[in-house]
Amino acid sequence: MSALSHQQWQKRADAIVPVTTAWIDGPVTSRSGRTRAAVNPATGAVLAEVTECDEHDVDLAVAAARRAFDRGHWSTASPRERATVLHRVARLIEDHVEELALLDTLDAGKRIVDTTAIDAPGTAAILRWYAESLDKVYGEVAPTGADDLAVVTREPLGVVAAIVPWNYPLELAMWKIAPALAAGNSVILKPAEDSPLSVLRLAELVAEAGMPEGVFSVVPGAGPVVGQALGRHRGVDVVTFTGSTSTGQLFQQYAGQSNLKQVWLEAGGKSGVVVLDDVEDLDAVADGVAAGIFTNAGQVCSATSRLVVQRGVADELVQRVVSRALAVRVGDPLDPATEMGPVVSERQAARVLELMRTGAAEAGTVHGGGVVDGMPAGTFVRPQVLVGVDAAATIAQTEVFGPVLSVHVVDTVDEAVSVANATPYALAAGLWTDGLRRAHGVARRLRAGTVSVNCVDALDVSTPFGGFGQSGYGRDLSLHALDKFTGLKTTWIRHG
Ligand code: NAD
């Protein structure tokens, strides 16, 4: 629980002056002079008018990034030198946790208790982890004959474009930026239209830490304009993307139609949590199931939005999950007592409400859902639990990105695995069981990049994150993320 009261947070929020300029070799406005309103989803108030970049600004950012890369102040700096700057950035983030957290809370509606405890400090921790890792990753010496020496080194790839969504504006950006910079690349970040403010401030902190000019740029703007321009740009070597599957498909096309740049996709999900009938502590499981879908108002790519439960414990568990859903305190994200804030925008709320209606029509029993009346904006929705939903129903196959849980009752373990795996996505899965053998056996059969057993959405900078199928490929976090931002180079020396 935050040490500050709601009123104190409100006072600090009122004093925030957001950065509104893009960052290309320094603070810039776009040549077009256009801006986009940053709107607080919790109130509908305009927080700032933010520079809206376009193709021309992308050209400038790519040229700056390329110049910086070729100049080599960063790309050929020793690992220790790079680590020093990255640690300084981390320190500045830590010094500004409250400000960065407030920016994400105001801009994206995320709870202040989460942005101060998870998003902002987590961002610094990720950066420190990569700063500490980068001089511990060794190259290889290949097994050649005695007359040869073949050395395999990791080389930075050049200009990396990072395109990110709005659900973890600062932290998800850092999932991309940290390993890409650690590896020596120049990075151009395109935030989501709904959440540019925290990373615009980050750009200032990165420069303050002594990052050479041009190495890190931020270009806010529309996906189909700035995102597309980066995706099609011949000067961009790598795209690292997090967002919806359909936008991910576009980036594959952009690459094919331009310079065959590498495209790494972290896309959508429709993850299932399986509960087997041997679980004893149904309260703990219900807490986990509720957290798995209602955290961040369901706007989590790895949210477990489908509960697949064995019949023996179904009634008791569902009753507990429903009572938790109906008791969730929906409110102002600046209030530390709030359990669920708004969704990110009126547009997203309309989409969630539409899917809630679709789900309600497909379910046997409907609990909760709908908009919360009497709030300052129409972005506050109520958690919804849909019981008795066919595994093939629209609501069980469509990513809502909102607090909607469908419940699927099954008889056997085989059926549970088959329902859990029955979507085109494969990002995450949950499993609750008290049986050690079942835990291992079933976890193995669940198709997902991460399986959380007897815990919720397990995640750490030390473990790879990403999916199979239409959830994308490539991994964020861990040392494996460096694979995306480096190329393997063989230098073969004949000396015999
Ligand atoms: P989105 O795909 O609409 O947008 C993501 C980014 O792509 C934004 O920066 C956006 O401006 C840009 N974009 C949009 N249209 C574009 C276009 N035509 N060309 C180029 N760029 C374009 O996704 P969203 O609504 O911002 O975020 C929600 C989605 O993100 C969900 O599907 C969620 O599952 C996914 N997500 C995935 C992960 C993961 O790690 N797998 C994490 C968080 C969110």
Side-chain angles (χ1 to χ4, degrees), residues 163-167 172 175 190-193 221-224 227-228 241-245 247 250-251 254 266-269 301 399 401 427 465 471:
I163 292 97
V164 294
W166 40 258
N167 55 338
L172 262 186
W175 287 21
K190 192 207 100 54
E193 292 87 326
Q228 173 158 200
F241 168 82
T242 294
S244 60
T245 295
T247 309
L250 289 178
F251 276 100
Y254 302 154
E266 298 283 353
C301 52
E399 180 176 45
F401 227 55
L427 187 57
F465 183 89
S471 292

Coordinates of all heavy atoms in Angstrom, one line a residue, residues 163-167 172 175 190-193 221-224 227-228 241-245 247 250-251 254 266-269 301 399 401 427 465 471, ligand 1:
I163 N 8.6 -0.8 -31.2 CA 7.2 -0.3 -31.3 C 6.4 -1.0 -30.2 O 6.4 -2.2 -30.1 CB 6.6 -0.6 -32.7 CG1 7.3 0.2 -33.8 CG2 5.1 -0.3 -32.7 CD1 8.4 -0.4 -34.5
V164 N 5.9 -0.2 -29.3 CA 5.3 -0.8 -28.1 C 3.8 -0.4 -27.9 O 3.4 0.7 -28.4 CB 6.2 -0.4 -26.9 CG1 7.5 -1.1 -27.0 CG2 6.3 1.1 -26.7
P165 N 3.1 -1.1 -27.1 CA 1.7 -0.8 -26.8 C 1.6 0.0 -25.5 O 2.6 0.5 -24.9 CB 1.1 -2.2 -26.5 CG 2.2 -3.0 -25.9 CD 3.5 -2.4 -26.5
W166 N 0.4 0.2 -25.0 CA 0.1 1.1 -23.9 C -0.1 0.5 -22.6 O -0.4 1.2 -21.6 CB -1.1 2.0 -24.3 CG -2.2 1.2 -24.9 CD1 -2.5 1.1 -26.3 CD2 -3.1 0.2 -24.3 NE1 -3.5 0.3 -26.5 CE2 -4.0 -0.3 -25.3 CE3 -3.4 -0.2 -23.0 CZ2 -4.9 -1.2 -25.1 CZ3 -4.4 -1.1 -22.8 CH2 -5.1 -1.6 -23.8
N167 N -0.1 -0.8 -22.4 CA -0.5 -1.4 -21.2 C 0.6 -1.3 -20.1 O 0.3 -1.2 -18.9 CB -1.0 -2.8 -21.3 CG 0.0 -3.7 -22.0 OD1 0.9 -3.3 -22.7 ND2 -0.1 -5.0 -21.8
L172 N 7.5 -2.0 -20.6 CA 7.6 -2.8 -21.8 C 8.6 -2.2 -22.8 O 9.3 -2.8 -23.5 CB 6.3 -2.9 -22.5 CG 5.5 -4.2 -22.3 CD1 4.3 -4.3 -23.1 CD2 6.4 -5.4 -22.6
W175 N 11.9 -3.3 -21.8 CA 12.2 -4.7 -22.2 C 12.9 -4.7 -23.6 O 13.7 -5.6 -23.8 CB 10.9 -5.5 -22.4 CG 10.1 -5.9 -21.2 CD1 10.2 -5.3 -19.9 CD2 9.2 -6.9 -21.1 NE1 9.4 -6.0 -19.1 CE2 8.7 -6.9 -19.7 CE3 8.6 -7.8 -22.0 CZ2 7.8 -7.8 -19.3 CZ3 7.7 -8.8 -21.5 CH2 7.2 -8.7 -20.2
K190 N 9.0 3.9 -30.6 CA 7.7 4.5 -30.9 C 6.7 4.1 -29.9 O 6.3 2.9 -29.9 CB 7.2 4.1 -32.3 CG 6.0 5.0 -32.7 CD 5.0 4.3 -33.7 CE 3.8 3.7 -33.0 NZ 3.0 4.6 -32.2
P191 N 6.3 5.0 -29.0 CA 5.3 4.6 -28.0 C 4.0 4.5 -28.6 O 3.7 5.0 -29.7 CB 5.4 5.8 -27.0 CG 5.9 7.0 -27.8 CD 6.8 6.4 -28.9
A192 N 3.0 3.9 -27.9 CA 1.6 3.9 -28.3 C 1.0 5.3 -28.3 O 1.4 6.1 -27.5 CB 0.8 2.9 -27.5
E193 N 0.0 5.5 -29.1 CA -0.6 6.8 -29.2 C -1.2 7.2 -27.8 O -1.2 8.4 -27.5 CB -1.8 6.8 -30.2 CG -1.4 6.6 -31.7 CD -1.2 5.2 -32.1 OE1 -0.8 4.3 -31.3 OE2 -1.5 4.9 -33.3
G221 N 3.7 9.1 -32.3 CA 2.9 9.4 -33.5 C 1.9 8.2 -33.7 O 1.9 7.2 -33.0
A222 N 1.2 8.3 -34.8 CA 0.2 7.3 -35.2 C 0.9 6.0 -35.6 O 1.9 6.0 -36.4 CB -0.7 7.8 -36.2
G223 N 0.3 4.8 -35.3 CA 0.8 3.6 -35.7 C 0.9 3.5 -37.2 O 2.0 3.2 -37.8
P224 N -0.2 3.8 -37.9 CA -0.1 3.6 -39.4 C 0.8 4.6 -40.1 O 1.1 4.5 -41.3 CB -1.6 3.9 -39.8 CG -2.4 3.6 -38.6 CD -1.5 4.0 -37.4
G227 N 4.7 4.1 -37.1 CA 5.0 2.7 -37.0 C 5.3 2.1 -38.4 O 6.2 1.4 -38.6
Q228 N 4.4 2.5 -39.3 CA 4.6 2.0 -40.7 C 5.9 2.5 -41.3 O 6.6 1.7 -42.0 CB 3.4 2.4 -41.6 CG 3.6 2.0 -43.0 CD 2.4 1.9 -43.9 OE1 2.4 1.3 -44.9 NE2 1.3 2.4 -43.4
F241 N 8.7 -5.6 -31.8 CA 7.4 -5.1 -31.7 C 6.6 -5.8 -30.5 O 6.8 -7.0 -30.4 CB 6.6 -5.4 -33.0 CG 5.1 -5.2 -32.9 CD1 4.6 -4.0 -33.0 CD2 4.3 -6.3 -32.8 CE1 3.2 -3.8 -33.0 CE2 2.9 -6.2 -32.7 CZ 2.4 -4.9 -32.8
T242 N 5.9 -5.1 -29.8 CA 4.9 -5.7 -28.9 C 3.5 -5.0 -29.2 O 3.4 -3.8 -29.2 CB 5.2 -5.5 -27.4 OG1 6.4 -6.2 -27.1 CG2 4.1 -6.0 -26.5
G243 N 2.5 -5.8 -29.4 CA 1.2 -5.3 -29.7 C 0.3 -6.4 -30.2 O 0.5 -7.6 -29.9
S244 N -0.7 -6.1 -31.0 CA -1.7 -7.1 -31.4 C -1.1 -7.9 -32.5 O -0.2 -7.5 -33.3 CB -3.0 -6.4 -31.8 OG -2.7 -5.5 -32.9
T245 N -1.7 -9.1 -32.7 CA -1.3 -10.0 -33.7 C -1.5 -9.4 -35.1 O -0.6 -9.5 -36.0 CB -2.1 -11.3 -33.6 OG1 -1.7 -11.9 -32.3 CG2 -1.8 -12.3 -34.7
T247 N -1.4 -6.2 -36.1 CA -0.3 -5.2 -36.4 C 1.0 -6.0 -36.6 O 1.8 -5.6 -37.5 CB -0.2 -4.2 -35.2 OG1 -1.5 -3.7 -35.0 CG2 0.7 -3.1 -35.6
L250 N 1.3 -7.0 -40.0 CA 1.7 -5.8 -40.9 C 3.2 -5.6 -40.9 O 3.8 -5.4 -42.0 CB 1.0 -4.5 -40.4 CG -0.5 -4.4 -40.7 CD1 -1.0 -3.1 -40.1 CD2 -0.8 -4.5 -42.2
F251 N 3.9 -5.7 -39.7 CA 5.3 -5.5 -39.7 C 6.1 -6.6 -40.5 O 7.1 -6.3 -41.1 CB 5.8 -5.5 -38.3 CG 5.7 -4.1 -37.7 CD1 4.6 -3.8 -36.8 CD2 6.6 -3.1 -38.0 CE1 4.5 -2.5 -36.3 CE2 6.4 -1.8 -37.5 CZ 5.4 -1.5 -36.7
Y254 N 5.7 -5.2 -44.0 CA 6.6 -4.1 -44.2 C 8.0 -4.6 -44.5 O 8.7 -4.0 -45.4 CB 6.6 -3.1 -43.0 CG 5.3 -2.6 -42.6 CD1 5.2 -2.2 -41.2 CD2 4.3 -2.4 -43.4 CE1 4.0 -1.6 -40.8 CE2 3.1 -1.8 -43.0 CZ 2.9 -1.5 -41.6 OH 1.7 -0.9 -41.2
E266 N 6.1 -9.8 -30.3 CA 5.4 -10.2 -29.1 C 4.0 -9.8 -29.3 O 3.7 -8.6 -29.2 CB 6.0 -9.5 -27.8 CG 7.4 -9.8 -27.6 CD 7.7 -11.2 -26.9 OE1 6.7 -11.9 -26.6 OE2 8.9 -11.5 -26.8
A267 N 3.1 -10.8 -29.6 CA 1.8 -10.4 -30.0 C 0.7 -10.8 -28.9 O 1.0 -10.8 -27.8 CB 1.5 -11.0 -31.4
G268 N -0.5 -11.1 -29.4 CA -1.6 -11.2 -28.5 C -1.6 -12.5 -27.7 O -0.7 -13.4 -27.9
G269 N -2.6 -12.7 -26.9 CA -2.8 -13.9 -26.1 C -4.2 -14.2 -25.8 O -5.1 -13.3 -25.8
C301 N -1.0 -8.9 -21.7 CA -1.0 -9.8 -22.9 C -1.1 -11.2 -22.4 O -1.7 -12.1 -23.0 CB 0.2 -9.6 -23.7 SG 1.7 -9.6 -22.8
E399 N -9.1 -12.1 -28.1 CA -8.4 -11.4 -27.0 C -9.2 -10.1 -26.7 O -9.4 -9.2 -27.5 CB -7.0 -11.0 -27.4 CG -6.3 -10.2 -26.3 CD -4.9 -9.9 -26.7 OE1 -4.6 -9.5 -27.8 OE2 -4.0 -10.1 -25.8
F401 N -8.6 -8.0 -23.9 CA -7.7 -7.0 -23.3 C -8.5 -6.2 -22.3 O -8.4 -5.0 -22.3 CB -7.0 -6.2 -24.4 CG -5.5 -6.0 -24.1 CD1 -4.7 -7.2 -24.0 CD2 -4.9 -4.8 -24.0 CE1 -3.3 -7.0 -23.7 CE2 -3.6 -4.7 -23.8 CZ -2.8 -5.8 -23.6
L427 N 0.7 -17.8 -25.6 CA 1.7 -16.9 -24.9 C 1.9 -17.4 -23.5 O 3.1 -17.6 -23.1 CB 1.1 -15.5 -24.8 CG 2.0 -14.4 -24.3 CD1 3.3 -14.4 -25.0 CD2 1.3 -13.1 -24.3
F465 N 10.6 -14.3 -22.1 CA 9.1 -14.0 -22.2 C 8.7 -13.9 -23.6 O 9.3 -13.1 -24.4 CB 8.7 -12.7 -21.4 CG 7.3 -12.5 -21.4 CD1 6.5 -13.0 -20.4 CD2 6.7 -11.8 -22.5 CE1 5.1 -12.8 -20.4 CE2 5.3 -11.5 -22.5 CZ 4.5 -12.0 -21.5
S471 N 1.0 -15.8 -31.0 CA 1.5 -14.9 -30.0 C 2.9 -14.4 -30.3 O 3.4 -13.6 -29.6 CB 1.5 -15.6 -28.6 OG 0.2 -15.8 -28.2
Ligands
NAD1 P1 -1.6 -2.4 -31.4 O1 -1.1 -3.5 -32.2 O2 -2.8 -1.7 -31.9 O3 -0.5 -1.3 -31.3 C1 0.8 -1.6 -30.8 C2 1.8 -0.6 -31.5 O4 1.8 -0.7 -32.9 C3 1.4 0.8 -31.1 O5 2.6 1.6 -30.9 C4 0.7 1.3 -32.4 O6 0.8 2.7 -32.6 C5 1.5 0.5 -33.5 N1 0.6 0.4 -34.7 C6 -0.7 0.3 -34.7 N2 -1.1 0.1 -36.0 C7 0.0 0.1 -36.8 C8 0.3 0.0 -38.2 N3 -0.7 -0.1 -39.1 N4 1.5 0.0 -38.6 C9 2.6 0.2 -37.7 N5 2.4 0.3 -36.4 C10 1.1 0.3 -35.9 O7 -1.8 -3.0 -30.0 P2 -2.3 -2.2 -28.7 O8 -3.8 -2.1 -28.8 O9 -1.5 -0.9 -28.5 O10 -1.9 -3.2 -27.5 C11 -2.7 -4.3 -27.2 C12 -2.1 -5.5 -27.8 O11 -0.8 -5.7 -27.4 C13 -2.8 -6.8 -27.4 O12 -3.0 -7.6 -28.5 C14 -1.8 -7.4 -26.4 O13 -1.9 -8.8 -26.3 C15 -0.5 -7.0 -27.1 N6 0.6 -7.1 -26.1 C16 1.4 -8.2 -26.2 C17 2.4 -8.3 -25.3 C18 3.4 -9.5 -25.4 O14 4.5 -9.4 -24.8 N7 3.1 -10.5 -26.1 C19 2.6 -7.4 -24.2 C20 1.6 -6.4 -24.1 C21 0.6 -6.3 -25.1

